Structures are given as structure tokens and as C-alpha cells.
Amino acid sequence: MKNYDIIVIGAGPAGAMAAWSAAAAGKKVALLERKAEAGIPVRCGEGIGHRGLTLTLQPRKEWIKSSITRACMVSPSGIKVEVGDVGQSWILDRERMDGDLVKEAVKAGAEFIPSATVVLCEKRADGLYRCISQDKEFTASILILADGVESRIARCFGWNTALDLKDIESGAFCRVYSNHVDPDCCYFYTGGAIAPGGYAWVFPRDRGEANAGLGVIGSKCKPGLPKELLIRFIEQNFPRARISDLHCGGIPVGRWINPLVKEGVMLVGDAARQVNAINGAGIAYSLYAGKLAGETAAKAITKSKPVNYKRLLRYQKEWAKNFGRQQERSFALKEFLMKTDDGFLNKIAESLAKEDPKNISYLRVFTRTFASRPLLLLKVLKLFK
């Protein structure tokens, strides 16, 4: 039995940031990870904007694989709409970044324990939380659960982590090597034939190398379909390309779990469903939530009593006020888009394709898409504030 102030389960961006922040505040922290290494495999496109990253971290040169200057959206009928104003955006080396975040947590004083699959957690009579992993046991005053979309540990404490089929996408991801990769442009492909209820994407990492993937909404998916569609998509758009690291996984696209805190247990990242509901992007959300949860947990452990549970509630309050509101807006927009068809998307693309790409931004694309829905348009404007 090993005893800690705080145990973090899951060493992705959310978990590593939580462990780093709590350890930097002087608490005894354990970071448990079921895999032998953090960040492998990477189940995302690795794209992030300047604001989303720098809100929590200053980017390191070695984390940046490429800088994005353009984006191109392709409608179901093949109409291309180039977005010339994408702001400062990057494609990250998530494997490197995730590993460095864990190293920073360790440098701050956290103990990193890989290959530790937690099978059970419970609250003991003395108020401590016990985590059982294979032949090891750990106890702590606070648990931070960052164990991903497949999280089961939250159920030990009464959370219902099941997702409606309309609120989860089954995703397929891979690395593509081809001379047809555009080195500074992200591509987004829509249409029922490409990715039912979702979209396909290509994000360049380097010359001749890109991340590619797609998501199929759960209500329209069947076993093996995302992988089949992704292979077909690559064959059509990158003939004779080499593919590596092909893998699959779930992408939450619903609302964040409420509450995020129960007594001394906190949820962060994909385990908390903290993901943009329109595009499934979650790196910025996870980094912010992890840092906030770690700092809040550290402040909740005082000398007067083991844990001030009321202080932990600040984490949910701050999340709800910031990214939480943004996620709620993205969910409302996603719900509307789920009711549209390929014809609607083609019509929007036809309208935008006539404009100068220099005058088109993501905001303009969304404004045109939701122009006929005043309440949703207001959410769009707030989403891009």
C-alpha cells in the first residue's frame, strides 16, 4: 500500500497537467497510467490554435510539427471552400508533448507509475480513496480521473458514463505518407458517403506526411465501418500512399458530465466528455481542465482537515464559466447540423466558393451556415469570442 495526497489516473494531457499542477503546489502525487508510455497511440489530429494552447501552456519548438496557414472544406459534391484566415494554428507532436508533460510532472515531484491498470476504486471508512491495480494498492485523499472516453472508474462512484449513440463518434486514425500532402493546409471532408454524421480530415505534419482520420456518429455506425471508410478515403485522395499506425477509438461529442466533482473525486478530459461537440477537438479543453483540477485539488488539502470538499467545487464552477459554456454552444450547433443533409452542405459551399479565400474565416463559414437560425447564430458568435 502506497499513500498519497492526490492520485491521478490517466497520463494524457489532462492527467499529466493535473499531476504537474498538484505536485508543483507541494502535494504528494501519483500519476497512474495503464499503458507502458504516455501518449501512444495518439487518437487525434494533433491540431490546435494559438489561443487554445497558450491559455494553459507556452508552446515548445519541439512540439510543433507544422504551422497551418490555410484550411479547405470539401462539400459532399466535391466543392472546395478555401479558408484563408485560420489564425495562428499548429499541428503538434502529441507523442513528444505528452511525454514532456509527464516529465514535468515528475520534475515537480509527482511519481509516475506506468503499466498500472486500475481495476477498482472505492472510498474507505477513514475517508481515503483506495485504488487497486493488479497486485498493487494506492490510497489518497483525492482522486482525479483522466482515464479517457472508455473510463469505467467513474462508475465506481455513481457516475453514469454511458453515451447516447448520437453523442459519440467511432473514429479511425492513421498516418499517411504521400507526395499529395499539402504541407500547410488542413482539409475537412463532409458527406454521408465519406463519414456518416461526421467528417474526414487531413492534417499535415511534415512534407509528405499527414494525420488522417474520420468519425462516424454512433447512431449510423456498424462494426468495422470507420476503418473501411478511412482506407477508401485515402485510396481515393492519396493514390499509392503508405499508411501506418492505423487504429480506432471513440470520440465523445456530447455535453460535459455534470457534476464534475463528487466529494473527493474529480473528472477531467475525455473522461469528463470535455470535447468540442462539433469537431471532437479536445486538447485545449483537456490542458485547461487538467491544470485547473490539479490546482484546485492542491488547495483543497489543508492542515485544518484532510480535504475541504467545498473547495473542490471551484473546479466545476470555473470550467462551466469558461470552456463549459463554449462546449454547450458547440453542442447546440452540432444538434442542428445532425438534422441537415448533403444538399444543405452543398448549398453553403456553393455560396462560399464564390468568395475570395482571403476574406473567409472559420467564423464566416459558421455564420453563413447558421444564418437562417438567429439563436444558433448568436451561439456561433459567442463560440468565436
Side-chain angles (χ1 to χ4, degrees):
M1 181 78 72
K2 302 194 72 174
N3 304 304
Y4 301 89
D5 294 321
I6 299 167
I7 290 176
V8 182
I9 301 177
M17 282 301 306
W20 181 5
S21 300
K27 303 306 175 184
K28 187 178 180 182
V29 179
L31 176 58
L32 310 183
E33 169 57 48
R34 64 182 175 83
K35 295 178 289 188
E37 294 182 60
I40 301 174
V42 174
R43 294 192 308 191
C44 81
E46 302 181 299
I48 194 169
H50 175 270
R51 182 186 175 198
L53 180 57
T54 57
L55 182 66
T56 307
L57 287 170
Q58 286 304 309
R60 299 181 182 178
K61 184 178 180 180
E62 59 268 27
W63 294 350
I64 309 299
K65 290 297 296 183
S66 65
S67 295
I68 301 303
T69 60
R70 299 175 296 121
C72 185
M73 299 183 177
V74 185
S75 78
S77 64
I79 301 171
K80 294 184 177 181
V81 176
E82 185 169 326
V83 180
D85 179 10
V86 297
Q88 190 172 12
S89 304
W90 301 298
I91 305 300
L92 300 173
D93 184 340
R94 272 284 309 280
E95 185 176 326
R96 177 67 179 270
M97 186 184 81
D98 288 11
D100 284 349
L101 293 180
V102 171
K103 290 177 182 177
E104 291 294 341
V106 172
K107 191 184 300 182
E111 182 178 353
F112 177 53
I113 306 174
S115 302
T117 301
V118 177
V119 295
L120 176 67
C121 288
E122 61 184 6
K123 188 175 185 181
R124 302 192 319 191
D126 61 2
L128 295 178
Y129 291 93
R130 180 173 73 142
C131 300
I132 300 173
S133 172
Q134 294 121 345
D135 59 342
K136 299 177 182 177
E137 292 190 16
F138 311 88
T139 62
S141 299
I142 295 175
L143 294 183
I144 299 178
L145 306 184
D147 49 336
V149 65
E150 302 93 345
S151 174
R152 297 290 183 272
I153 301 303
R155 298 181 186 181
C156 296
F157 302 102
W159 271 290
N160 178 9
T161 59
L163 280 161
D164 289 339
L165 291 177
K166 67 180 182 63
D167 291 334
I168 187 169
E169 291 185 358
S170 181
F173 316 82
C174 73
R175 192 70 48 78
V176 174
Y177 301 90
S178 168
N179 292 330
H180 297 283
V181 172
D182 194 330
D184 60 0
C185 183
C186 287
Y187 283 82
F188 304 87
Y189 295 76
T190 59
I194 292 175
Y199 68 97
W201 43 263
V202 180
F203 291 177
R205 297 183 96 238
D206 205 342
R207 289 194 175 276
E209 177 186 352
N211 292 323
L214 57 78
V216 178
I217 201 70
S219 56
K220 298 182 180 182
C221 194
K222 63 181 182 179
L225 180 61
K227 179 179 177 181
E228 175 187 327
L229 291 175
L230 180 58
I231 292 174
R232 183 192 306 166
F233 170 79
I234 293 171
E235 289 175 345
Q236 292 174 346
N237 292 278
F238 301 93
R240 297 180 296 281
R242 180 168 66 87
I243 300 175
S244 71
D245 302 317
L246 178 58
H247 54 285
C248 299
I251 308 166
V253 286
R255 288 188 166 98
W256 52 277
I257 290 180
N258 189 0
L260 291 173
V261 180
K262 287 190 177 183
E263 293 189 324
V265 186
M266 312 166 78
L267 302 182
V268 295
D270 279 5
R273 315 302 185 227
Q274 291 168 323
V275 175
N276 185 300
I278 293 179
N279 56 24
I283 303 175
Y285 285 10
S286 289
L287 291 171
Y288 174 82
K291 183 178 182 181
L292 178 61
E295 291 175 343
T296 304
K299 291 177 181 177
I301 299 176
T302 63
K303 293 180 180 180
S304 59
K305 58 181 179 179
V307 181
N308 184 332
Y309 289 148
K310 286 187 177 180
R311 283 196 178 184
L312 291 183
L313 298 178
R314 172 183 169 270
Y315 161 58
Q316 174 161 330
K317 183 178 179 180
E318 291 298 315
W319 165 263
K321 187 170 64 175
N322 295 294
F323 275 126
R325 288 183 179 178
Q326 188 180 89
Q327 185 174 357
E328 288 291 341
R329 292 169 188 139
S330 71
F331 179 79
L333 302 178
K334 184 212 76 171
E335 290 286 278
F336 169 77
L337 288 174
M338 289 299 298
K339 299 174 184 177
T340 63
D341 56 17
D342 286 359
F344 173 82
L345 297 176
N346 286 328
K347 185 177 180 181
I348 299 299
E350 288 173 3
S351 173
L352 288 168
K354 300 173 184 176
E355 299 187 23
D356 186 340
K358 294 179 181 179
N359 299 326
I360 300 179
S361 63
Y362 290 132
L363 175 59
R364 185 160 182 76
V365 172
F366 276 81
T367 300
R368 186 66 60 85
T369 302
F370 297 97
S372 62
R373 302 294 179 111
L375 291 179
L376 290 179
L377 185 56
L378 181 62
K379 292 182 184 295
V380 168
L381 296 175
K382 290 181 177 181
L383 188 66
F384 284 88
K385 284 179 65 176

